[in-house]
Amino acid sequence: SRIASLTSGAQVPRTSTTVLTGTAHGGNRGVARVEISVDGARTWTDARITYPGTRLSWALWSHDWRPNTAGVTQLVVRATDQD
């Protein structure tokens, strides 16, 4: 899984919502779930799968995020396959 809408070091304003987007792949099993963490993988929130793809193709996902603290944030994404 990967985040496609932001690059490392990107600055995101705290005053607006940023739509995070990306891709996920489940090998030959497809993608059942995509989760995003905004605290370095301590807690997880479901992202929306906007295009599920097929069992062999990439799925697309999105997540609306508004930073609640100033400073550096570590974003992490993970996918769960269908099997």
Side-chain angles (χ1 to χ4, degrees):
S1 302
R2 71 190 255 334
I3 299 170
S5 57
L6 292 177
T7 58
S8 181
Q11 294 186 13
V12 177
R14 286 181 26 193
T15 58
S16 62
T17 299
T18 298
V19 179
L20 304 174
T21 59
T23 58
H25 194 266
N28 65 353
R29 297 166 304 281
V31 174
R33 182 179 189 181
V34 177
E35 298 167 284
I36 188 140
S37 173
V38 297
D39 58 12
R42 288 190 305 253
T43 61
W44 296 91
T45 302
D46 284 333
R48 289 181 308 281
I49 296 177
T50 56
Y51 175 75
T54 67
R55 292 178 72 81
L56 295 175
S57 68
W58 290 86
L60 304 179
W61 60 267
S62 69
H63 177 74
D64 297 334
W65 173 59
R66 184 175 183 160
N68 57 8
T69 60
V72 176
T73 300
Q74 182 182 9
L75 302 174
V76 183
V77 63
R78 69 182 179 189
T80 303
D81 65 37
Q82 291 187 10
D83 290 336

